[in-house]
Amino acid sequence: MATTPAFEAAALLASPVRRSLLAALRRREDENPAEPGMTAAELAPGMHLHVTTVRFHLDRLVAAGVLRTEFQPQPTAGRPRKVYSVAEESGARDARPLRRLAALLADVVAASTRGEAVTPVEAGRRWARE
């Protein structure tokens, strides 16, 4: 069964490291809209991870369409900087719908552990009433 890009992105964001990287990029975007994005080397110290590990996670998020990259030339000699930023079309900026769905499914699982037979539709109705 083939996975959709949205499903792949959601699966990748199950990782706390990747969620933290995404949050750091969003903060940077909010704080400095004129210069959004960061390199793996800029992100690594805040994540307490090696730059290679950070780059691995970032590149997986790029492949899923959650992030995008841009190469910026250096003012001096050297390779261009690879800057990661949040992909606007990814839908990754607003996780509220995903959180709602997760809460509904958690209600179904919690009810089933108590011996209640709650369907996802019934969980949705309960959520709407609350």
Side-chain angles (χ1 to χ4, degrees):
M1 181 173 135
T3 61
T4 65
F7 179 80
E8 184 180 346
L12 287 173
L13 290 172
S15 161
V17 170
R18 292 180 183 142
R19 285 193 311 271
S20 294
L21 289 167
L22 185 59
L25 288 168
R26 282 190 188 137
R27 270 193 309 279
R28 171 64 178 259
E29 209 170 80
D30 291 341
E31 292 168 2
N32 193 355
E35 219 177 293
M38 298 173 75
T39 66
E42 291 170 329
L43 285 160
M47 299 293 123
H48 305 290
L49 295 170
H50 191 275
V51 67
T52 305
T53 303
V54 170
R55 192 174 295 117
F56 167 79
H57 288 292
L58 291 169
D59 288 338
R60 295 291 305 267
L61 291 169
V62 168
V66 175
L67 301 180
R68 62 182 169 84
T69 59
E70 176 186 343
F71 289 94
Q72 297 176 345
Q74 295 284 4
T76 59
R79 73 168 54 163
R81 292 172 13 121
K82 186 176 185 180
V83 177
Y84 296 86
S85 58
V86 178
E88 292 302 323
E89 63 277 358
S90 73
R93 289 194 77 44
D94 188 2
R96 288 176 296 185
L98 186 57
R99 284 191 204 112
R100 281 190 205 117
L101 176 60
L104 289 174
L105 294 175
D107 288 346
V108 171
V109 171
S112 69
T113 60
R114 293 188 305 264
E116 296 176 40
V118 177
T119 66
V121 172
E122 179 57 30
R125 285 187 183 123
R126 289 180 183 180
W127 173 80
R129 282 191 301 267
E130 291 172 11

